[in-house]
Amino acid sequence: MKRIMIRVAYDGTDFHGWQYQPETRTVEGELNRAIKELTGEEIRVIGASRTDAGVHALGNVAVFDTDSTIPPERFWIALNTRLPEDVKVVASRETDMDFHPRKTEVRKTYEYRIYNSDIPNPLKRCDYWTVPYVLDTEKMREAAAYLVGTHDFATFCSVHTQAESTVRTIYDIKIIGGNNNEVIILVTGNGFLYNMIRIIAGTLVEVGRGSREPSWVSEILEGTDRTLGGPTAPPQGLCLMEIDYGDKV
Amino acid sequence: MKRIMIRVAYDGTDFHGWQYQPETRTVEGELNRAIKELTGEEIRVIGASRTDAGVHALGNVAVFDTDSTIPPERFWIALNTRLPEDVKVVASRETDMDFHPRKTEVRKTYEYRIYNSDIPNPLKRCDYWTVPYVLDTEKMREAAAYLVGTHDFATFCSVHTQAESTVRTIYDIKIIGGNNNEVIILVTGNGFLYNMIRIIAGTLVEVGRGSREPSWVSEILEGTDRTLGGPTAPPQGLCLMEIDYGDKV
């Protein structure tokens, strides 16, 4: 028995998110099925990020245990022949039997993609949020700076229980603009609350379009209350880019 | 009665091409339906480029005649509320009653998009051709240079009748590489034969991956025979970017 770690890329458009649900098309469901077809083993993969419906990934991570003799570094190729076009495994290797992708310290990087134009672009509809207002990326940068560091991000969380901590650390936020009407928000942190990046994106757009001043973000962060924050940006702009476990696995 | 000229953008993935066919989802069919819903008039638009199934556009052009009192510059907005997400009108204005988009001298620009990686990317599957071999863009540039100018492009045409001329003029070909594993072939010409850009892309990839020398393109061009050319690249990499009628309309 060994534990295999895979990196997974998917177009979230036609999935009801990552997490397995019977009778519903999910990324985990497709992976479980493909692994069963390949190895004959009944397996449920353990995912690092259980992304929502419509959210994409280029670098989600999952693990599963197998007795298969397929070389771990070749697993991804064998799995891809059994996976549909909208989900593919992009790397595989053996990892420690006690490695758990959600219980290990991590740096996650998400990209939130905005197509900033008042003219619709059908080729951007599935992986961008189209924002028709002129965005001031300098003001968005100024606002984003308040979010970097360790804070209680309760303002940027849709649903949470009292028992659960809403403290997280954001290491970096980059706002990349000026390219083909695109504004990219790149966020790296040690973990994110439910809808956190999408609320950050919705909040930064409020600032970028001039509805709010950058300092407003500092105020609402201190308020630790979801009702203070900006709207939740739509799922299709969000893409999980990378999960970095450093040298821990 | 006036003639309206529209610019049309679409994701070709779920269309059986531009041209109207009963019982089939086509771009023209959607436009005819939306115009009828808006104006009550039975109209068939005349398209500039009747793109194939799977081919995209950001700047196709069409015209139609109407008695509607909707201001020509507002037509695109009114039509978009009646169009699905994968086809949108991006501009509209009045034009001359004798302007015909296929019988007027023109410069057309197409983009052929290659995702150059041996690792699949589900987010690029609908608007890129994934090529797993390392591509030498400098050699592709050298090969492309032979195609610029006025030539008999019979080698780069899938189907044609004897009566039809296969002479066309290519004004420019740019090969843009080095960005996120993308290689973009940008071709501007006065018109293109059936599958011409896709055969050019397939041929330039043969050179880029080292299967052929750049000078091979000069030889096959002179041979004026389709069987000499490279393979036809798949439709989803192709996007009609712009149709420029200059100051003629």
Side-chain angles (χ1 to χ4, degrees):
Chain A
M1 176 78 73
K2 54 194 161 200
R3 183 159 288 193
I4 306 290
M5 177 177 174
I6 55 177
R7 271 210 301 140
V8 187
Y10 44 91
D11 174 348
T13 310
D14 295 329
F15 287 107
H16 294 266
W18 172 276
Q19 191 156 19
Y20 176 76
Q21 301 169 52
E23 315 288 316
T24 307
R25 193 167 186 267
T26 67
V27 178
E28 191 198 325
E30 290 289 335
L31 291 169
N32 293 344
R33 181 196 49 70
I35 294 168
K36 191 184 175 180
E37 276 181 39
L38 181 62
T39 66
E41 298 164 322
E42 284 283 356
I43 276 167
R44 271 194 72 167
V45 304
I46 303 170
S49 283
R50 289 166 291 185
T51 52
D52 275 335
V55 173
H56 315 293
L58 291 177
N60 207 342
V61 165
V63 299
F64 60 93
D65 297 337
T66 179
D67 288 316
S68 165
T69 56
I70 298 166
E73 302 72 32
R74 305 283 299 170
F75 241 108
W76 69 284
I77 296 166
L79 281 173
N80 280 342
T81 64
R82 288 159 179 87
L83 285 168
E85 289 301 305
D86 54 354
V87 51
K88 292 292 176 190
V89 180
V90 298
S92 60
R93 62 181 179 81
E94 193 172 348
T95 186
D96 299 342
M97 285 304 293
D98 61 354
F99 169 68
H100 187 295
R102 285 199 303 278
K103 295 177 180 162
T104 308
E105 213 182 300
V106 74
R107 290 170 78 100
K108 290 185 185 181
T109 299
Y110 278 88
E111 194 171 271
Y112 196 93
R113 302 171 183 164
I114 294 163
Y115 183 66
N116 188 21
S117 172
D118 55 359
I119 296 171
N121 185 334
L123 286 169
K124 306 269 191 189
R125 77 190 187 288
C126 294
D127 48 356
Y128 289 78
W129 176 26
T130 297
V131 172
Y133 324 106
V134 175
L135 293 178
D136 182 332
T137 51
E138 205 40 66
K139 285 200 167 167
M140 290 171 74
R141 252 171 233 125
E142 207 181 311
Y146 293 110
L147 301 174
V148 176
T150 302
H151 304 284
D152 183 339
F153 283 101
T155 301
F156 297 88
C157 178
S158 287
V159 186
H160 66 99
T161 57
Q162 283 297 101
E164 182 195 33
S165 167
T166 46
V167 173
R168 293 290 185 280
T169 299
I170 291 182
Y171 300 117
D172 190 39
I173 307 186
K174 282 195 175 62
I175 314 284
I176 303 156
N179 205 357
N180 295 323
N181 297 323
E182 292 175 13
V183 176
I184 308 294
I185 303 170
L186 204 62
V187 186
T188 301
N190 68 347
F192 298 100
L193 304 165
Y194 189 59
N195 280 348
M196 181 166 157
I197 312 266
R198 289 166 56 189
I199 301 168
I200 288 175
T203 299
L204 292 179
V205 162
E206 290 294 294
V207 173
R209 63 183 283 201
S211 301
R212 302 285 191 163
E213 284 306 308
S215 59
W216 168 66
V217 172
S218 170
E219 285 164 36
I220 64 173
L221 177 66
E222 282 168 33
T224 62
D225 178 347
R226 173 68 191 99
T227 62
L228 301 171
T232 305
Q236 77 274 8
L238 187 60
C239 185
L240 171 54
M241 300 302 281
E242 197 189 4
I243 301 183
D244 179 5
Y245 292 99
D247 49 12
K248 286 180 286 296
V249 287
Chain B
M1 176 78 72
K2 56 194 159 198
R3 181 159 289 193
I4 306 290
M5 177 177 173
I6 56 177
R7 269 211 302 140
V8 187
Y10 44 92
D11 175 347
T13 309
D14 295 329
F15 287 108
H16 293 265
W18 171 277
Q19 192 157 19
Y20 176 76
Q21 301 168 54
E23 316 288 317
T24 306
R25 192 167 187 266
T26 67
V27 178
E28 191 198 326
E30 288 290 335
L31 290 169
N32 293 344
R33 181 196 49 71
I35 295 168
K36 190 183 175 179
E37 276 182 39
L38 180 63
T39 67
E41 298 165 321
E42 283 285 355
I43 276 167
R44 271 193 74 168
V45 302
I46 302 170
S49 282
R50 289 166 292 185
T51 53
D52 274 337
V55 172
H56 315 293
L58 291 176
N60 207 342
V61 165
V63 299
F64 59 94
D65 297 338
T66 179
D67 287 318
S68 164
T69 56
I70 298 167
E73 302 73 31
R74 305 282 300 170
F75 240 107
W76 69 285
I77 295 165
L79 280 173
N80 281 342
T81 63
R82 288 158 180 88
L83 285 167
E85 288 302 305
D86 55 354
V87 50
K88 292 292 176 190
V89 179
V90 297
S92 59
R93 62 182 178 81
E94 193 171 351
T95 186
D96 299 341
M97 285 304 292
D98 62 354
F99 170 67
H100 187 296
R102 287 199 302 278
K103 294 177 181 162
T104 307
E105 212 182 302
V106 74
R107 290 171 78 99
K108 290 185 185 180
T109 299
Y110 278 88
E111 195 169 89
Y112 195 92
R113 301 172 184 163
I114 294 163
Y115 183 66
N116 188 21
S117 172
D118 55 359
I119 297 172
N121 184 334
L123 285 169
K124 306 270 190 187
R125 76 190 188 288
C126 294
D127 48 356
Y128 287 79
W129 176 25
T130 297
V131 173
Y133 324 105
V134 176
L135 293 178
D136 182 332
T137 50
E138 205 39 67
K139 285 200 167 166
M140 289 170 75
R141 253 171 232 124
E142 207 182 310
Y146 293 111
L147 301 173
V148 175
T150 302
H151 305 284
D152 183 338
F153 283 100
T155 300
F156 297 89
C157 178
S158 287
V159 186
H160 65 98
T161 56
Q162 282 297 102
E164 182 195 33
S165 167
T166 47
V167 174
R168 295 289 186 280
T169 300
I170 291 182
Y171 300 117
D172 189 38
I173 305 186
K174 281 195 176 63
I175 314 283
I176 303 156
N179 204 355
N180 295 322
N181 297 323
E182 293 176 12
V183 176
I184 308 294
I185 303 170
L186 204 61
V187 186
T188 302
N190 68 346
F192 297 99
L193 303 165
Y194 189 59
N195 280 347
M196 182 165 155
I197 312 267
R198 289 166 56 189
I199 301 167
I200 288 175
T203 299
L204 293 179
V205 162
E206 290 295 294
V207 173
R209 64 183 283 202
S211 301
R212 301 284 193 163
E213 285 305 307
S215 59
W216 168 66
V217 172
S218 169
E219 286 163 36
I220 64 172
L221 177 65
E222 282 167 32
T224 61
D225 178 348
R226 173 67 191 100
T227 63
L228 301 171
T232 305
Q236 77 274 8
L238 188 59
C239 186
L240 171 53
M241 301 300 283
E242 197 190 5
I243 301 183
D244 178 5
Y245 292 100
D247 50 10
K248 285 180 287 296
V249 287

PDB file of all heavy atoms in Angstrom, chain B residues 227-240:
ATOM      1  N   THR B 227      -2.199  17.819 -51.133  1.00  0.00           N
ATOM      2  CA  THR B 227      -1.566  16.632 -50.547  1.00  0.00           C
ATOM      3  C   THR B 227      -0.138  16.913 -50.093  1.00  0.00           C
ATOM      4  O   THR B 227       0.438  16.147 -49.326  1.00  0.00           O
ATOM      5  CB  THR B 227      -1.547  15.445 -51.541  1.00  0.00           C
ATOM      6  OG1 THR B 227      -0.747  15.823 -52.668  1.00  0.00           O
ATOM      7  CG2 THR B 227      -2.951  15.096 -51.995  1.00  0.00           C
ATOM      8  N   LEU B 228       0.461  18.013 -50.557  1.00  0.00           N
ATOM      9  CA  LEU B 228       1.825  18.362 -50.167  1.00  0.00           C
ATOM     10  C   LEU B 228       1.878  19.039 -48.796  1.00  0.00           C
ATOM     11  O   LEU B 228       2.914  19.005 -48.124  1.00  0.00           O
ATOM     12  CB  LEU B 228       2.443  19.312 -51.204  1.00  0.00           C
ATOM     13  CG  LEU B 228       2.538  18.802 -52.640  1.00  0.00           C
ATOM     14  CD1 LEU B 228       2.967  19.940 -53.572  1.00  0.00           C
ATOM     15  CD2 LEU B 228       3.507  17.633 -52.741  1.00  0.00           C
ATOM     16  N   GLY B 229       0.786  19.668 -48.380  1.00  0.00           N
ATOM     17  CA  GLY B 229       0.799  20.511 -47.186  1.00  0.00           C
ATOM     18  C   GLY B 229       0.746  19.727 -45.891  1.00  0.00           C
ATOM     19  O   GLY B 229       0.585  18.503 -45.880  1.00  0.00           O
ATOM     20  N   GLY B 230       0.887  20.427 -44.792  1.00  0.00           N
ATOM     21  CA  GLY B 230       0.784  19.833 -43.467  1.00  0.00           C
ATOM     22  C   GLY B 230      -0.661  19.517 -43.123  1.00  0.00           C
ATOM     23  O   GLY B 230      -1.575  19.787 -43.906  1.00  0.00           O
ATOM     24  N   PRO B 231      -0.882  18.912 -41.948  1.00  0.00           N
ATOM     25  CA  PRO B 231      -2.243  18.560 -41.532  1.00  0.00           C
ATOM     26  C   PRO B 231      -3.088  19.811 -41.268  1.00  0.00           C
ATOM     27  O   PRO B 231      -2.552  20.895 -41.050  1.00  0.00           O
ATOM     28  CB  PRO B 231      -2.026  17.777 -40.240  1.00  0.00           C
ATOM     29  CG  PRO B 231      -0.689  18.201 -39.732  1.00  0.00           C
ATOM     30  CD  PRO B 231       0.140  18.555 -40.940  1.00  0.00           C
ATOM     31  N   THR B 232      -4.401  19.629 -41.298  1.00  0.00           N
ATOM     32  CA  THR B 232      -5.323  20.706 -40.956  1.00  0.00           C
ATOM     33  C   THR B 232      -5.435  20.772 -39.436  1.00  0.00           C
ATOM     34  O   THR B 232      -5.849  19.802 -38.799  1.00  0.00           O
ATOM     35  CB  THR B 232      -6.712  20.420 -41.573  1.00  0.00           C
ATOM     36  OG1 THR B 232      -6.548  20.219 -42.974  1.00  0.00           O
ATOM     37  CG2 THR B 232      -7.668  21.576 -41.330  1.00  0.00           C
ATOM     38  N   ALA B 233      -5.025  21.886 -38.856  1.00  0.00           N
ATOM     39  CA  ALA B 233      -5.105  22.048 -37.401  1.00  0.00           C
ATOM     40  C   ALA B 233      -6.577  22.086 -36.967  1.00  0.00           C
ATOM     41  O   ALA B 233      -7.444  22.480 -37.749  1.00  0.00           O
ATOM     42  CB  ALA B 233      -4.390  23.332 -36.986  1.00  0.00           C
ATOM     43  N   PRO B 234      -6.884  21.674 -35.732  1.00  0.00           N
ATOM     44  CA  PRO B 234      -8.283  21.581 -35.303  1.00  0.00           C
ATOM     45  C   PRO B 234      -8.960  22.959 -35.197  1.00  0.00           C
ATOM     46  O   PRO B 234      -8.297  23.972 -35.015  1.00  0.00           O
ATOM     47  CB  PRO B 234      -8.191  20.902 -33.935  1.00  0.00           C
ATOM     48  CG  PRO B 234      -6.798  21.118 -33.469  1.00  0.00           C
ATOM     49  CD  PRO B 234      -5.950  21.208 -34.698  1.00  0.00           C
ATOM     50  N   PRO B 235     -10.302  22.978 -35.337  1.00  0.00           N
ATOM     51  CA  PRO B 235     -11.012  24.259 -35.445  1.00  0.00           C
ATOM     52  C   PRO B 235     -10.927  25.133 -34.188  1.00  0.00           C
ATOM     53  O   PRO B 235     -10.930  26.354 -34.295  1.00  0.00           O
ATOM     54  CB  PRO B 235     -12.465  23.841 -35.704  1.00  0.00           C
ATOM     55  CG  PRO B 235     -12.565  22.431 -35.221  1.00  0.00           C
ATOM     56  CD  PRO B 235     -11.217  21.830 -35.451  1.00  0.00           C
ATOM     57  N   GLN B 236     -10.862  24.524 -33.008  1.00  0.00           N
ATOM     58  CA  GLN B 236     -11.034  25.330 -31.793  1.00  0.00           C
ATOM     59  C   GLN B 236      -9.905  26.323 -31.545  1.00  0.00           C
ATOM     60  O   GLN B 236     -10.062  27.245 -30.752  1.00  0.00           O
ATOM     61  CB  GLN B 236     -11.246  24.439 -30.565  1.00  0.00           C
ATOM     62  CG  GLN B 236      -9.988  23.781 -30.012  1.00  0.00           C
ATOM     63  CD  GLN B 236      -9.664  22.466 -30.694  1.00  0.00           C
ATOM     64  OE1 GLN B 236     -10.281  22.092 -31.681  1.00  0.00           O
ATOM     65  NE2 GLN B 236      -8.680  21.747 -30.166  1.00  0.00           N
ATOM     66  N   GLY B 237      -8.765  26.177 -32.245  1.00  0.00           N
ATOM     67  CA  GLY B 237      -7.674  27.137 -32.090  1.00  0.00           C
ATOM     68  C   GLY B 237      -7.880  28.415 -32.896  1.00  0.00           C
ATOM     69  O   GLY B 237      -7.151  29.389 -32.707  1.00  0.00           O
ATOM     70  N   LEU B 238      -8.861  28.402 -33.784  1.00  0.00           N
ATOM     71  CA  LEU B 238      -9.018  29.505 -34.746  1.00  0.00           C
ATOM     72  C   LEU B 238     -10.030  30.542 -34.270  1.00  0.00           C
ATOM     73  O   LEU B 238     -11.115  30.191 -33.805  1.00  0.00           O
ATOM     74  CB  LEU B 238      -9.457  28.933 -36.098  1.00  0.00           C
ATOM     75  CG  LEU B 238      -9.507  29.893 -37.286  1.00  0.00           C
ATOM     76  CD1 LEU B 238      -8.149  30.527 -37.553  1.00  0.00           C
ATOM     77  CD2 LEU B 238     -10.000  29.172 -38.526  1.00  0.00           C
ATOM     78  N   CYS B 239      -9.659  31.804 -34.403  1.00  0.00           N
ATOM     79  CA  CYS B 239     -10.568  32.898 -34.027  1.00  0.00           C
ATOM     80  C   CYS B 239     -10.450  34.029 -35.041  1.00  0.00           C
ATOM     81  O   CYS B 239      -9.356  34.541 -35.290  1.00  0.00           O
ATOM     82  CB  CYS B 239     -10.224  33.403 -32.623  1.00  0.00           C
ATOM     83  SG  CYS B 239     -11.394  34.628 -32.006  1.00  0.00           S
ATOM     84  N   LEU B 240     -11.587  34.412 -35.608  1.00  0.00           N
ATOM     85  CA  LEU B 240     -11.644  35.553 -36.533  1.00  0.00           C
ATOM     86  C   LEU B 240     -11.616  36.833 -35.702  1.00  0.00           C
ATOM     87  O   LEU B 240     -12.555  37.118 -34.961  1.00  0.00           O
ATOM     88  CB  LEU B 240     -12.929  35.466 -37.363  1.00  0.00           C
ATOM     89  CG  LEU B 240     -13.298  36.659 -38.235  1.00  0.00           C
ATOM     90  CD1 LEU B 240     -12.162  37.066 -39.162  1.00  0.00           C
ATOM     91  CD2 LEU B 240     -14.558  36.357 -39.044  1.00  0.00           C
TER      92      LEU B 240
END
